[in-house]
Amino acid sequence: MNFSPTDQSGKYQIFKSSDFLDGIRRRLIVKNLLPYIFRTSCCHSEIESLTSPHFSEKVIQFQRTCEHGDVLLVCGAINEEIGQEVKEVFSRMLFPRWVVAIGNCPLSGGPFNPYNSHRPLSEFIPVDVAIIGCPPSASDIEKGLEKLKGHILGGAPYRDLGANEAEEFSV
Amino acid sequence: MIDQELTLPTFKIKEKIPFSSQLFDADNELREIYQKLGDPISKDPSHLYFKTTYESLIEDLTFLKDSGFERFIDLHLSQSQIEDHERNLNFTLYNFQNFIYISIVLPLKNGEKVPNLEKLWSPSLWEQREAFDNFGIVFREDYDLVRYFSRNSLSDNFKNPLANKGFSQLQNCEGTQLGELGLFYTSTQDKVEKAEVDIGRYHRGCEQVLLNTSLSGMIPLLERSFFQSSESLVTAYCRGLERLLDIEVPAKGQAIRMIFLETERITHHLRYLLNTFYLIKDDLFFNEVLSLLEGFKYARSLWTSRSSFNTPLCLGGIKEEAGNSWLSETLKFSEKLESFTTRLESFFFRDKGAHLRLKSLVTINRSDALDLCLSGPAMRACGLNHDLRKIHPFYFYNQLDLQVVLGTHGDALDRHLVHLAELKESAVMVFQLLDNLPLGRFRSEKIWSDHGRLNLPKRIDKKETYMSQEGPGGEIGVHMGYSGGDRLDFIKLYSASRPLAQAVSQVLKGCSLEELPLGVSSLGIHPAEVHK
C-alpha cells in the first residue's frame, strides 16, 4: 500500500487525492457502471434492450433517477430548450460523471436536421464518447460503453471537478 | 384464408353499449348535406369532399356538427407543388353513426383571415397554431397565440408561457410517458386546479422534412417520427399510396403486415403496463413485463436486426421473406403472454392496492370523450364502441373474430383493463395468423421490377386521400396528395395522442397531486405523436 511516511504523532497518513486511490476508484466504477438515460427520441428503445440477456452478455441496470447515475446517455436531437434541460440533469448528477451521446441526433440533428435550430450536444455539456448510427444497434451501444470504460481507466477527467469537489474525493 | 375457429379470450368487462340508439338513415342524411353544401368534388363514398367559402365556413361546419359529424379530425393545407400552386385548407370531420369522413375545402385567398374554430371544437386550437407556424395562415379573433415551435428567437414571455403564468412543472416525469413534453399545473389544497401540456420545445417538423424525400425514402423517416407506433403509421402511409396507385398487396404480404401491427400493439400495451408498475412500485410485475417486452423486441430483431426499426414493410407488400427463427420466437413469447395476462387480470380485479388506487382516478365521461375527439383505448374505456379494425376492416381483420372490449366508468382502472384485454386478443390474433400464414408472393409486381426498382407513374391526375387505421393508442392517419413522380404534393400525419394531450387541461381537474403521475400515465399519451 502506498501510504505516506509517518508524521510526528507516529500514525500513518493517507495522501489526499493520490493517483493510487484514484485508480482504485476508477476500477470500482468500471466494474459496475450505472447509466441514466435522457430520452428524447427513438434510440432509447435500443438502449433499453441492453437490460435483457438476449442482446448482451452483461446485463446493465439503468438508474431511475439521474442522481444515482455515473454515466449520462443522451439520445435524441437537441435544441435550445432541450439543451437547457440536459444541462440541468447533468448538474444534478453527482461526481464522478461522464457523458455518452447516442445516435446521430445529438451530434448533427439526424434526419430532422435543418429544422427548429438543432444544436450539437457538446455546446451544452462535455461529451466523452459518441456512438454513431440511426439508431445504433444494441451491440454497438455495448461496444461504446466498453470504450468508455477504457477511457475511464485511462484517466478521463472528472467533469467539472472544481476545488470543492476535490475535497469530496479525499479519504 | 383463415377457417380455423378462434379460442377467444374469455374476457369481458361489461356488456357492450351501442354507440347511439338512433339508427342512421344514410340516404336521407346525405341528401340533406348535398342540398346544403352542393355536390361533392370527389366520388369516393367513404370520404366526401365539399367546397366552401370564407363567409359560409362556420355555418357549414356547425350544420355538419349538428347532423352527426361530431368528431373533428384535423385541418391541413393541401397544395400542389408542381402545377397551379393552389392552396386549399381542408377541415376533416368524422361521423360516428355511418362512419363517413367529410372534408370541407376552403380555397385560400391572400390577406384574408380564416374563421376561428375553437368554440366549435376545442382540439382545433393546436392545429390552428400549427397552421399559423407552418404556413402562415392567420385565424380571426384573438386566441392564445403561443408559438408552436421555434420559440428560441422570441422573448422570455413566449419561451416559457406557462411558467410565467404561475404554473408549476411536474418535475419527475419518469414513468408518465411524457418524456420531453412538459406537464404544468396549478393546485389548491393538494388538488390540481389547472393542468396543461406544453408543446413546441421539441418540434421536429416531420411533415416538412417528409415532403423533400422520395416515396420509398419516406418510410425510415416515418418510423422515426412516431417511433412507438411506427408500424401502424408506415402501413397507413403504404395503404394510402396503394389506394392512389390501385395496387393490391398479395396475401402473404398482408398477413405479415398484420402480424407486425399486432406485435406492435402488444409491445405498446406492455410498455403502458410497465409505466404503471414503475409508478406503483411493484418490482415483480415490472421485471416480468420488462422481460416479455424484450422478448418481443428480440423476436423482431431476428428479422430486422434492430429491436424497433428497419421495418420490413415497403410499398406494395414487404421487402423480404420471413425467417423461421423469427416465427418460432414470436410464437414462444405470445404463448408466455397469454398465461401472464390471466395473472394480471386477477391482480387488477382484486380490491387491493393497485385496484383502489386506479379506481375513479381521472375519469372521463362519455359525452366528454365525444367533445374532446378521443379515440382508441381511452375512448373504449368510456363505453363507446368504436374500433376501426371492426368498422373499416382491411386485409384479414374481417376473418379474425375480433371482440371490442368496453369499459363503463372511463377511469384509469377501466383503461388498464381495456389495454389488458386488447393485449390478450392481439396475442391470439398473432397465433392465428402465424398458423395460417399464406404462401406465394409477398410483394406486388405492379410497382416493383425484377431488379428491385420502383416503377412509379410520371404523371397522374391530382388525387387526395385520407387513410386511417387503429393504432395501438388510437386512430392513426395520413392525409396525402399525389400527382405522379417521386414526391408527394402534401402530407399530414394524424394521431390520437394529440387530442388526448389537449384533453389533459379538462380531464386532470380535481386530481390529487400524489396520483398525478399515475393519472397522466393512464391516459397513454405518446410524446412523439404530439410534437412530431
Side-chain angles (χ1 to χ4, degrees):
Chain A
M1 298 288 279
N2 186 15
F3 291 118
S4 65
T6 50
D7 58 354
Q8 286 177 356
S9 62
K11 286 177 183 174
Y12 281 109
Q13 197 183 19
I14 301 168
F15 273 128
K16 278 191 174 181
S17 68
S18 69
D19 289 347
F20 177 75
L21 285 174
D22 194 46
I24 294 174
R25 174 180 287 278
R26 279 168 193 274
R27 258 174 272 153
L28 284 172
I29 289 166
V30 162
K31 265 192 180 177
N32 186 19
L33 263 186
L34 305 174
Y36 174 78
I37 314 172
F38 185 86
R39 307 174 170 84
T40 51
S41 184
C42 35
C43 287
H44 74 79
S45 57
E46 287 294 322
I47 304 169
E48 276 167 5
S49 38
L50 281 178
T51 52
S52 78
H54 296 298
F55 292 92
S56 61
E57 289 175 2
K58 288 176 190 171
V59 177
I60 297 168
Q61 203 173 13
F62 291 104
Q63 298 303 298
R64 289 179 182 181
T65 48
C66 59
E67 282 87 349
H68 296 131
D70 293 330
V71 184
L72 180 67
L73 309 180
V74 183
C75 52
I78 308 291
N79 59 16
E80 217 173 276
E81 282 180 62
I82 293 291
Q84 297 302 330
E85 275 195 22
V86 179
K87 250 187 182 175
E88 249 189 59
V89 168
F90 185 67
S91 66
R92 266 161 58 192
M93 281 174 78
L94 301 178
F95 297 108
R97 56 192 180 181
W98 291 278
V99 181
V100 177
I102 287 171
N104 292 345
C105 292
L107 304 178
S108 65
F112 306 104
N113 177 22
Y115 212 71
N116 201 1
S117 60
H118 281 129
R119 287 167 62 185
L121 178 64
S122 52
E123 281 187 19
F124 297 97
I125 51 172
V127 180
D128 291 282
V129 175
I131 304 165
I132 301 167
C134 188
S137 65
S139 57
D140 284 348
I141 297 168
E142 205 188 356
K143 277 177 202 166
L145 285 177
E146 264 163 32
K147 197 171 184 184
L148 177 77
K149 284 175 186 175
H151 202 57
I152 292 167
L153 287 175
Y158 294 119
R159 291 299 176 189
D160 292 353
L161 199 67
N164 295 326
E165 282 89 36
E167 285 178 12
E168 197 184 306
F169 285 114
S170 62
V171 181
Chain B
M1 182 200 107
I2 292 152
D3 312 319
Q4 198 186 328
E5 267 194 30
L6 262 179
T7 50
L8 260 175
T10 53
F11 188 96
K12 213 175 176 185
I13 298 172
K14 292 279 154 59
E15 280 181 19
K16 281 185 187 179
I17 300 150
F19 211 92
S20 157
S21 54
Q22 294 173 333
L23 281 170
F24 185 77
D25 189 1
D27 288 343
N28 266 328
E29 290 278 339
L30 286 181
R31 200 176 298 133
E32 275 183 23
I33 289 166
Y34 287 153
Q35 280 173 5
K36 176 81 181 168
L37 302 175
D39 288 335
I41 309 167
S42 68
K43 283 168 188 173
D44 182 11
S46 64
H47 193 152
L48 301 163
Y49 287 81
F50 292 98
K51 264 201 176 176
T52 186
T53 53
Y54 277 82
E55 291 76 33
S56 59
L57 176 71
I58 290 285
E59 195 187 320
D60 290 349
L61 288 173
T62 40
F63 166 74
L64 283 172
K65 195 186 177 186
D66 295 339
S67 59
F69 289 86
E70 288 171 55
R71 179 151 158 224
F72 175 81
I73 301 276
D74 63 353
L75 61 91
H76 67 275
L77 190 83
S78 81
Q79 57 184 351
S80 76
Q81 292 191 332
I82 307 163
E83 232 179 42
D84 53 17
H85 295 284
E86 196 181 274
R87 294 171 95 221
N88 295 325
L89 201 61
N90 288 12
F91 302 85
T92 311
L93 311 174
Y94 181 67
N95 194 329
F96 280 118
Q97 273 100 51
N98 59 359
F99 315 122
I100 287 179
Y101 290 98
I102 258 190
S103 280
I104 299 294
V105 182
L106 177 73
L108 284 175
K109 290 173 196 168
N110 279 339
E112 272 202 55
K113 289 182 178 177
V114 181
N116 191 0
L117 302 181
E118 204 192 328
K119 282 169 192 166
L120 278 174
W121 290 282
S122 56
S124 66
L125 178 63
W126 282 9
E127 299 290 330
Q128 289 178 17
R129 274 160 61 180
E130 193 184 34
F132 171 70
D133 258 14
N134 269 336
F135 308 110
I137 297 164
V138 187
F139 289 82
R140 270 180 222 161
E141 300 166 34
D142 292 327
Y143 60 93
D144 191 11
L145 189 68
V146 181
R147 290 302 292 271
Y148 190 81
F149 51 78
S150 53
R151 299 183 295 192
N152 299 335
S153 55
L154 300 171
S155 64
D156 286 346
N157 284 331
F158 284 98
K159 260 187 188 174
N160 300 312
L162 291 167
N164 289 328
K165 282 179 190 169
F167 281 72
S168 46
Q169 192 176 3
L170 185 69
Q171 277 302 326
N172 196 1
C173 274
E174 281 292 309
T176 55
Q177 282 193 329
L178 279 180
E180 60 272 20
L181 297 174
L183 183 75
F184 288 83
Y185 64 90
T186 57
S187 60
T188 47
Q189 296 171 350
D190 291 346
K191 288 205 168 178
V192 177
E193 201 175 19
K194 272 181 189 174
E196 253 181 80
V197 169
D198 180 31
I199 51 163
R201 312 144 116 210
Y202 192 59
H203 196 278
R204 290 171 293 174
C206 292
E207 283 134 3
Q208 248 81 343
V209 182
L210 286 168
L211 271 184
N212 298 322
T213 48
S214 64
L215 293 184
S216 53
M218 232 178 244
I219 287 173
L221 278 174
L222 284 167
E223 274 188 284
R224 279 152 185 78
S225 44
F226 282 10
F227 46 83
Q228 281 189 21
S229 50
S230 57
E231 229 78 69
S232 32
L233 181 66
V234 171
T235 28
Y237 162 73
C238 289
R239 280 177 61 220
L241 255 182
E242 282 152 14
R243 181 198 268 177
L244 292 177
L245 294 167
D246 291 331
I247 298 165
E248 260 197 38
V249 181
K252 189 175 182 181
Q254 293 183 7
I256 288 172
R257 275 186 184 184
M258 277 176 73
I259 293 168
F260 269 81
L261 281 177
E262 291 310 315
T263 44
E264 190 194 67
R265 199 181 306 280
I266 288 168
T267 47
H268 168 268
H269 290 341
L270 284 175
R271 209 171 261 137
Y272 178 88
L273 291 172
L274 200 71
N275 283 303
T276 42
F277 288 129
Y278 171 74
L279 291 168
I280 289 170
K281 287 174 185 162
D282 190 324
D283 278 358
L284 280 173
F285 272 123
F286 181 86
N287 289 330
E288 212 160 343
V289 172
L290 194 65
S291 67
L292 266 173
L293 179 64
E294 267 137 24
F296 275 100
K297 278 166 134 189
Y298 171 65
R300 193 188 187 282
S301 73
L302 289 174
W303 191 345
T304 58
S305 84
R306 294 281 192 283
S307 57
S308 49
F309 290 94
N310 292 8
T311 179
L313 312 190
C314 68
L315 290 175
I318 52 161
K319 273 184 224 162
E320 304 154 344
E321 282 217 69
N324 285 328
S325 53
W326 164 79
L327 207 141
S328 58
E329 284 291 313
T330 318
L331 266 174
K332 193 177 106 187
F333 286 109
S334 22
E335 261 174 21
K336 273 188 186 175
L337 183 71
E338 233 196 336
S339 62
F340 177 62
T341 39
T342 43
R343 270 194 293 139
L344 269 184
E345 276 164 28
S346 62
F347 174 76
F348 278 116
F349 274 121
R350 228 177 292 150
D351 284 342
K352 283 177 187 174
H355 182 97
L356 293 176
R357 278 182 76 177
L358 293 171
K359 207 173 182 183
S360 66
L361 176 68
V362 192
T363 45
I364 307 173
N365 296 331
R366 216 176 295 176
S367 56
D368 281 353
L370 284 173
D371 288 340
L372 296 167
C373 305
L374 302 188
S375 68
M379 185 194 195
R380 287 193 282 277
C382 311
L384 297 166
N385 188 357
H386 187 264
D387 192 328
L388 282 171
R389 288 176 293 173
K390 202 86 175 167
I391 291 157
H392 298 295
F394 58 98
Y395 301 162
F396 300 117
Y397 277 117
N398 249 340
Q399 297 171 41
L400 297 171
D401 209 354
L402 174 70
Q403 204 175 8
V404 184
V405 183
L406 303 172
T408 41
H409 306 293
D411 55 358
L413 182 66
D414 275 11
R415 253 166 270 142
H416 277 81
L417 293 175
V418 167
H419 272 89
L420 253 179
E422 287 184 9
L423 193 68
K424 211 169 181 180
E425 273 185 358
S426 358
V428 174
M429 284 201 296
V430 168
F431 268 135
Q432 215 186 6
L433 284 161
L434 283 172
D435 279 350
N436 302 292
L437 206 62
L439 300 172
R441 287 186 71 88
F442 48 85
R443 193 158 78 177
S444 159
E445 291 173 35
K446 198 177 171 185
I447 50 166
W448 287 98
S449 69
D450 291 342
H451 312 294
R453 202 179 145 193
L454 260 180
N455 294 328
L456 293 166
K458 280 187 180 170
R459 202 65 191 273
I460 56 168
D461 292 338
K462 208 164 86 179
K463 282 179 182 174
E464 283 184 19
T465 188
Y466 174 62
M467 182 54 80
S468 63
Q469 67 186 48
E470 192 72 25
E475 184 174 336
I476 276 180
V478 182
H479 294 273
M480 57 170 82
Y482 183 59
S483 51
D486 204 17
R487 296 280 191 277
L488 285 179
D489 286 349
F490 68 90
I491 184 165
K492 168 86 203 255
L493 315 177
Y494 172 78
S495 75
S497 285
R498 198 171 262 226
L500 254 178
Q502 271 167 294
V504 157
S505 56
Q506 196 172 323
V507 162
L508 286 184
K509 217 176 276 177
C511 177
S512 66
L513 283 182
E514 285 179 352
E515 301 291 1
L516 186 59
L518 195 59
V520 178
S521 83
S522 76
L523 290 171
I525 301 166
H526 284 200
E529 290 177 13
V530 178
H531 59 58
K532 286 192 281 192

